[in-house]
Amino acid sequence: MKLANELYKILDQVNSEELPVGLKVPGSFSEFLSDMKNNQDGAKTFAVRLKAMMEYMDREVKRSRLAEQLHKYFAATSIPKGMHCLSLRLTDEYSSNAQARKELPPPELLHLLSDNSYHHFVVASDNILAASVVVTSVVRSSLQPERVVFHVITDKMTYPSMHSWFALNHLSPAIIEVKGVHQFDWLTRDNVPLLEVFENHHGVGNHYHGNHIMGVNVGDSPMIFASKLQARSSKFISLLSHLRIYLPELFPNLSTVVFLDDDVVVQHDLSPLWEIDLLGKVNGAVETCKGEDTLVMAKHFRTYFNFSHPLIANELDPDECAWAYGMNVFDLNAWRKTSIRKTYHYWVKENLKSNLTLWKFGTLPPALIAFRNYVHPIDPSWHMLGLGYQESTDLERVRKAAVIHYNGQCKPWLEIGFKRLQPFWTKHVNYLNDFIRNCHILEPQWFPQN
């Protein structure tokens, strides 16, 4: 006991001291023991070298974890070869096959695109496979698929391939419309000032396309590093990412729509969403501040905003509850009576003026401000988040959720996707489809047993 107490005293002393400069650090514990035996060093030297070795190993572990997050980030932002092939083949089909260019929906059904007695869904995506899973899962889960109208919006480059896919893969009796952003007359620089701002602001290109390692501290936890990398994703300056803020103008004849992200899967009939009384609010959304999971369901405004900035500190409450994008019910009539879009533009511009320091990442933070006092909380069972963050997600809860959301880096169409969570997504992919087979997009071979 006396020996142990003496050792504790020496360790405490060494812990409060700086390590000698240039001290050689053993490469392994075996080497450490061998050196100590050979040199017959005293207890103080033992403690110093032990501390040096522990700090060295700690730095190496952190470096490897940061490297893992960096590799995962690049894997998450890359386009798999098979999906790139799918887009190219479908684009070629659009140019050579009249069936791939046929009007969607057919002329006799065009009037249904603005019929408010139908259930209108919107998805904005440049990912053909992901968009197809969203639409297919909605139609399969619907108790009245003949009342489903889907508005698929994509960018100009992806439009031919996206149109080809839905023209050649019928989801009757649902109504499918595919439009490119270039086909909306309303989407001009006068109406969408963000377009010019993103293109011309000097800091935007460097922030989203520059060196992703700059500004990263070695002491950052892997999770903080991952969030910093996510903040650098160029998708946040894509018009498709901001498109939902223009829904009332893009669909002037519609009163209610359900907007879905392209990384969700619908598992139950969503028609009851149209029966929810939003009590005059604009946005029906699941709140994300009342769960115990700090990564997904325990988020307040402090999670997203930089409260050391005076503009944020003076305007916002750090304890205010956050809510989720991904599955939202929008009352467009109520929305048209507000200044939500103007507020959204203002805060995006303020963030650019502040060198992108007002919030941490994404299109959600400006929406959290713009929709303040316009959000009606809906039951969490409608929208389960986090399937792209946590492999340990409870499978029974996943099965019960109406909409599951693979938000996070580990998308189900990527190699880094969580194997036990992939089947909920892959079951909506037709791996026998000629285009999918010819592009060698293969069904995962390993599935969870429970």
Side-chain angles (χ1 to χ4, degrees):
M1 198 65 198
K2 182 178 180 183
L3 177 63
N5 287 332
E6 288 295 322
L7 182 59
Y8 296 152
K9 187 184 298 183
I10 293 170
L11 289 172
D12 279 335
Q13 178 187 346
V14 169
N15 188 44
S16 61
E17 297 176 356
E18 293 292 327
L19 290 171
V21 178
L23 180 66
K24 182 186 175 184
V25 179
S28 66
F29 187 68
S30 297
E31 184 182 335
F32 170 73
L33 283 179
S34 176
D35 287 351
M36 293 303 300
K37 289 177 180 177
N38 292 336
N39 297 330
Q40 297 292 304
D41 291 323
K44 175 74 179 287
T45 303
F46 168 83
V48 169
R49 297 197 68 196
L50 180 64
K51 178 184 178 183
M53 189 174 75
M54 293 292 289
E55 289 188 356
Y56 169 76
M57 293 175 68
D58 186 52
R59 286 195 300 272
E60 288 301 301
V61 168
K62 284 184 177 177
R63 282 196 186 97
S64 65
R65 286 178 176 171
L66 295 181
E68 178 189 7
Q69 291 297 335
L70 184 62
H71 295 152
K72 189 177 287 188
Y73 168 78
F74 287 126
T77 54
S78 63
I79 302 173
K81 188 185 297 184
M83 294 175 72
H84 183 61
C85 164
L86 182 66
S87 183
L88 292 177
R89 284 179 177 265
L90 286 166
T91 299
D92 182 63
E93 195 72 14
Y94 185 83
S95 64
S96 60
N97 184 351
Q99 282 298 306
R101 297 192 303 273
K102 70 181 181 182
E103 194 170 346
L104 290 177
E108 64 271 17
L109 298 179
L110 278 174
H111 67 283
L112 298 180
L113 296 179
S114 56
D115 189 332
N116 283 297
S117 66
Y118 282 68
H119 297 145
H120 293 265
F121 295 86
V122 181
V123 61
S125 175
D126 59 0
N127 185 326
I128 299 161
L129 203 58
S132 75
V133 167
V134 175
V135 178
T136 301
S137 66
V138 167
V139 176
R140 286 180 177 176
S141 302
S142 177
L143 297 178
Q144 296 178 295
E146 69 279 2
R147 293 188 62 195
V148 169
V149 178
F150 232 109
H151 306 268
V152 180
I153 307 174
T154 190
D155 57 30
K156 187 175 182 179
M157 184 174 69
T158 312
Y159 172 75
S161 53
M162 188 75 79
H163 187 104
S164 291
W165 176 266
F166 286 104
L168 297 173
N169 295 277
H170 307 287
L171 286 167
S172 182
I175 309 300
I176 312 293
E177 174 193 37
V178 178
K179 291 189 77 171
V181 292
H182 59 291
Q183 295 173 316
F184 287 96
D185 295 335
W186 188 86
L187 289 176
T188 65
R189 272 177 168 69
D190 291 336
N191 293 325
V192 189
L194 297 183
L195 287 172
E196 189 170 359
V197 169
F198 285 148
E199 288 177 5
N200 296 332
H201 189 272
H202 69 278
V204 169
N206 183 60
H207 180 81
Y208 290 105
H209 301 292
N211 185 348
H212 283 34
I213 304 301
M214 289 184 65
V216 172
N217 300 318
V218 177
D220 283 343
S221 72
M223 201 56 64
I224 291 175
F225 182 48
S227 70
K228 287 183 177 181
L229 288 174
Q230 190 175 353
R232 305 293 290 267
S233 174
S234 59
K235 73 177 184 178
F236 296 135
I237 57 173
S238 161
L239 177 59
L240 285 178
S241 293
H242 295 269
L243 202 64
R244 72 195 90 196
I245 205 67
Y246 306 114
L247 290 176
E249 292 77 22
L250 299 182
F251 301 100
N253 298 317
L254 296 183
S255 56
T256 302
V257 300
V258 169
F259 191 96
L260 298 170
D261 279 357
D262 67 0
D263 54 354
V264 307
V265 173
V266 176
Q267 303 188 121
H268 302 302
D269 179 48
L270 297 186
S271 59
L273 291 173
W274 274 263
E275 300 170 9
I276 294 177
D277 184 359
L278 297 182
L279 302 176
K281 304 295 186 181
V282 171
N283 179 4
V286 168
E287 291 182 317
T288 57
C289 67
K290 297 179 179 177
E292 297 179 359
D293 181 359
T294 57
L295 192 61
V296 179
M297 295 301 292
K299 294 184 175 181
H300 296 77
F301 272 28
R302 68 166 63 87
T303 309
Y304 298 95
F305 296 100
N306 175 18
F307 278 90
S308 65
H309 195 289
L311 185 59
I312 294 295
N314 293 334
E315 295 285 340
L316 304 179
D317 176 3
D319 295 319
E320 190 165 340
C321 188
W323 48 267
Y325 263 157
M327 196 287 290
N328 303 86
V329 188
F330 289 119
D331 183 336
L332 301 186
N333 288 333
W335 190 338
R336 293 183 184 103
K337 299 173 185 176
T338 72
S339 58
I340 287 173
R341 176 165 56 90
K342 184 178 179 181
T343 303
Y344 188 91
H345 284 168
Y346 169 81
W347 281 97
V348 170
K349 289 181 179 179
E350 286 300 315
N351 190 38
L352 292 172
K353 288 180 187 176
S354 302
N355 294 318
L356 307 166
T357 59
L358 296 188
W359 53 76
K360 295 179 182 178
F361 55 83
T363 56
L364 178 59
L368 290 175
I369 305 176
F371 282 100
R372 288 180 82 198
N373 303 317
Y374 294 113
V375 176
H376 178 74
I378 62 176
D379 193 280
S381 63
W382 283 113
H383 184 191
M384 181 179 182
L385 297 110
L387 275 71
Y389 282 120
Q390 302 180 116
E391 188 170 14
S392 60
T393 303
D394 180 65
L395 293 181
E396 192 55 38
R397 287 187 59 232
V398 173
R399 293 186 186 100
K400 291 179 179 179
V403 176
I404 54 175
H405 194 170
Y406 291 85
N407 59 314
Q409 289 183 323
C410 299
K411 304 299 184 189
W413 55 83
L414 298 173
E415 285 292 328
I416 60 173
F418 299 131
K419 300 303 180 187
R420 66 194 295 271
L421 300 176
Q422 280 182 322
F424 297 98
W425 187 86
T426 56
K427 71 180 182 179
H428 296 291
V429 178
N430 178 12
Y431 290 97
L432 298 178
N433 177 277
D434 287 342
F435 289 98
I436 289 178
R437 282 195 304 108
N438 291 334
C439 286
H440 305 291
I441 299 173
L442 304 176
E443 185 174 8
Q445 296 301 304
W446 185 88
F447 292 93
Q449 298 301 311
N450 56 333

